[in-house]
Amino acid sequence: MSAATRTSPRTSARRRRWLTACALTASAALVALPASAAPGGDNSPFGARTLARLAAQRTHSAHAVTPRLTAEDDDGNEADEIAEGADQYAEARTSPGIVAPGAYGAAWQSLTNLPRTGGNWRDLTALPYDSDDARYRDFDSNSSGGSGRVTGRMAAMAADDDGYVYAGSAGGGVWRSRSGGGHWQPVSDRLPSQSTGALALDGAGRLWLGTGEATTNADAYLGSGVYVLSDPHHGTFSTRGRVGGDELESTTIHELRFGGGKVWAATSEGVWSHSTKKITGAWKLEFAPNPDYLPGGTKANDPSAAYKNIANDIAIDPKDPSKVVLAVGWRSGDDYNGFYTKVRGTWTRITSGLGDLPSDADGVGNVTFARSADGSRYYAIDQSPEQLHTNPDSGLEGIFVSKSGSPTGPWTKIADYKGLAASGSALTSSGYMPGIQAWYNQFLTVDPSDARHVYAGLEEVYESKDGGDTWSTVGPYWNFGFSCWSIDPAKQTGDCNPTTHSDQHGVAIGRHHGKSFVYVGNDGGAYRRPVDGSQDSAGHATDWTSLNDGTIDTLQYYSVGIGKDLAYGGDSVTGGLQDNGQSLLRGNDTVMGSNFGGDGGDTLTDPADGCNMAEEYVYLAVQVTQNCAVNDGSWITDPTKVTSYNVAPADNTTSEARFIAPLAADMRSSSTWIAGGRHIWVQTHGYAIRSGTEWKSLYDLGAGRTATAVAASGGKVYAAWCGPCNNQGFARGIAVGNADGTGWHDITLPATGADGTVPNRYLSGFAVDPHDADHVYLAVNGFSRHWTEGPGAGVGHVFESKDGGTTWKDISANLPDVPTNSAVVTPNGGLAVATDLGVVYRAPGRTSWQRVGGLPAVAVLQLKLSPDGSTLYAATHGRGIRAIKVRDCD
């Protein structure tokens, strides 16, 4: 989508949106789906995340005020903005071409073969993170929204009747609770993939894990197959438990279903089956609608290959397990979309007899099935490609029931988006309708003791106790906009009940101490309530409990910032998160707070005073605070007493910056900041900046180009750019100049990325030698040409220049062929590099690389040093913020 057609993000005071489907799934799974090549990719809403207006008439506070709003706060097509953000994450790893399956698997093997440094990473964020923290209750936070303690996105849930609960995260692996939720332990750290697609318990009590998150968002990583854990109460997953061979490597797995002595897998490469009696032997490909596009096929390298064989779910007839219905299709629509069953031994599209459930390709997109325990009913959620393209309100076709218990129907529609909106939904106050992200948000389950008792998940959680005749929004989007809500800090969450985080993905029902609970997984982690719980007069549940107690850390960070905590000692640590705002951990905190909602992008923190912070939302929407954003609520009666200021440079308002745009402070002057969009910007007021007009443009990269990385030291500035940034004509470059505006020029880089030169791939980060501004390192994303079939993919991931960027030398040596994201020069002259599979380190005077610490297979997006240089901090995208002593790396 061009910059001219997308809507500018909101840059003034606002209630941040939680519904960002650019939910990044960092893992060691295999390559991301390149959305730029996807059929219909540019037309698909990608997160209808909007803001709840803080209108005075919706509060009960006598002193409530309407926050500052500008024309940029008007509702626009925010969904397209979020879609572009996700596309950009994928572009960095796939451009300039298509990445072959197996890239991450080979990289993980190579990484594990590296020698390891000493020391171990400390998990700094392994403590509760309170999104409702009353210390930060202002109009730039989500405080009082009602979702309470959060962690990173949960893609799947499973639970048994013995109090054991299993949560599968998007990028941080699988976790187990022995106490009905809480007191979590990781159980998949030894696997080469930490991305979860499906979790399922079979009749023998074994836990099955399908790796590769299957939400079809542009940056969902693929997996390494299916694993089974025979003793889930006590054991942990290992590679020895992989089912079959390598048939399901490089896929995502949407669902695992059981029937007829088989486990069925709905994957991004068709439907497969395997015996449940033994895990050896190959998987059988049951059905692929377009086999020529599978690996090894004649069209395997076609840009649309990843979208031609997507299967979403499998429904097995409880009366006859040989009768199976497959839900197949790409969420944006394709000719092969539809429901299939075997007719005389051949998989055939069902074209009639389904009743209200669509049988045409335009009406069948992402589908989830659920069967009642007694076999009397089948339920289904269907997302419609046609609705996705033509209906600005919702992409939901509906929720359906087959009262015969057969997956072939006939099916009756029991809910549509209008009916769900009238059931107590909070989405309508945000300008959207239920199912706006039905291709991304879906779960469905039936109470084992009552075939008419159903839970459905979209952006919110819905419940029906009468088979779909009536519905209640038991887990509303948030509490903003409800009459019970008040922004007054003295009233905490007012009279509103706690709710779940938005964006629902996984669900399970289990028992603990003899009581049945429903467990839901979403973009904020895991929550539970009694299956037959209580509701208030609006139909909202009164009994949700957050299970994100701090023992489970799957937080997905983009960035990290560190500064001295002058009030409490030690360091103040903050970071920007996917869909969970900005976390803030003070020196004396036992609970992290959040002063900043929605997505959190890049972060700057004053090394001398950790309460001086700059936080990015998206597209360079920068906010600054000088008191850790602690707010005593006085701004309610006096709007001039704000704690945060919006200081976005002009590329924010013209939408000419990356979704997560680069922001950096000069290494020798924390008051000089560099920001990158189409222009390279500078401001010299540091944390005292109060307006976006204080930025000055240093250099225009040119139309269609946008900065991917910036760095500065002693007034010398480096800026990397791409444009176009996708695999359709991808180009990259580096510009160098001075912070005073002089000397700016483009570095001449070979267009082909010849051996030994900087490849024609995404340039993701600089690391400047603190003693010599002309000595700089460059981190290069994507995969080398062995895996990437694109022009100029070249080889190498880390390059060094000793002449200010004029010439570069490949120093990758034994570094695994894996996307690199960030780098820092340590005080002793070593070099630490963040990759999609962890952190590597090159000691001073050495040419080879070592693996740092013992991180599982998780992406690390940014590295920073503590103010005294003694500690290395890593922003992981799935396992929180980690820290290790620099001395332990040598």
Side-chain angles (χ1 to χ4, degrees), residues 158-160 164 166 199-208 232 258:
D160 64 21
Y164 284 79
Y166 308 93
L199 284 176
L201 287 161
D202 66 12
R206 296 177 296 178
L207 180 64
W208 296 70
F258 303 96

Side-chain angles (χ1 to χ4, degrees), residues 768-845:
V768 184
D769 185 337
H771 305 294
D772 181 0
D774 286 333
H775 186 197
V776 61
Y777 298 92
L778 175 67
V780 181
N781 214 289
F783 288 93
S784 294
R785 66 165 174 250
H786 176 74
W787 299 104
T788 304
E789 297 193 10
V795 295
H797 289 276
V798 182
F799 293 78
E800 180 181 20
S801 175
K802 296 183 178 181
D803 55 14
T806 301
T807 60
W808 296 89
K809 177 184 177 182
D810 184 0
I811 61 168
S812 303
N814 65 327
L815 184 75
D817 186 1
V818 63
T820 60
N821 304 303
S822 171
V824 295
V825 178
T826 59
N828 62 357
L831 183 65
V833 175
T835 82
D836 270 9
L837 293 176
V839 180
V840 294
Y841 178 73
R842 194 186 74 165

Side-chain angles (χ1 to χ4, degrees), residues 347-474:
W347 289 104
T348 305
R349 192 201 307 253
I350 301 172
T351 58
S352 62
L354 292 175
D356 292 341
L357 193 63
S359 56
D360 60 301
D362 290 339
V364 182
N366 186 21
V367 173
T368 301
F369 290 119
R371 188 179 74 189
S372 64
D374 63 6
S376 65
R377 289 186 173 218
Y378 244 111
Y379 294 88
I381 295 178
D382 177 28
Q383 167 262 324
S384 162
E386 182 178 18
Q387 292 289 321
L388 186 66
H389 291 299
T390 63
N391 186 351
D393 292 327
S394 178
L396 179 67
E397 180 71 24
I399 303 177
F400 303 82
V401 63
S402 169
K403 295 180 181 180
S404 69
S406 169
T408 58
W411 293 84
T412 302
K413 182 181 284 191
I414 54 176
D416 60 17
Y417 73 91
K418 294 180 180 178
L420 295 176
S423 70
S425 169
L427 277 172
T428 54
S429 66
S430 303
Y432 289 89
M433 287 285 188
I436 187 68
Q437 288 184 156
W439 59 268
Y440 170 72
N441 301 317
Q442 276 195 26
F443 73 54
L444 192 63
T445 195
V446 187
D447 183 347
S449 63
D450 184 353
R452 291 169 57 83
H453 189 188
V454 185
Y455 276 91
L458 295 167
E459 297 74 36
E460 304 169 295
V461 182
Y462 306 95
E463 179 184 22
S464 175
K465 296 183 178 182
D466 53 16
D469 291 341
T470 59
W471 293 88
S472 299
T473 307
V474 290

Side-chain angles (χ1 to χ4, degrees), residues 2-4 6-9 81 84 619 650-657:
S2 69
R6 75 178 183 229
T7 307
S8 298
E81 290 178 356
E84 184 166 346
Y619 299 116
D651 279 355
N652 167 249
T653 57
T654 59
S655 300
E656 293 182 291

Side-chain angles (χ1 to χ4, degrees), residues 745-780:
H745 62 285
D746 282 320
I747 298 294
T748 300
L749 296 177
T752 59
D755 287 350
T757 63
V758 176
N760 187 42
R761 303 202 310 271
Y762 187 92
L763 310 181
S764 54
F766 294 102
V768 184
D769 185 337
H771 305 294
D772 181 0
D774 286 333
H775 186 197
V776 61
Y777 298 92
L778 175 67
V780 181

Side-chain angles (χ1 to χ4, degrees), residues 501-550:
H501 196 287
S502 60
D503 296 352
Q504 312 304 319
H505 304 291
V507 65
I509 291 177
R511 296 179 68 83
H512 180 54
H513 292 325
K515 188 173 184 178
S516 292
F517 291 92
V518 59
Y519 298 90
V520 302
N522 50 49
D523 275 14
Y527 296 78
R528 81 174 188 190
R529 71 181 291 249
V531 167
D532 194 14
S534 60
Q535 301 177 16
D536 63 19
S537 60
H540 306 145
T542 63
D543 44 15
W544 284 110
T545 298
S546 169
L547 303 178
N548 310 306
D549 58 2

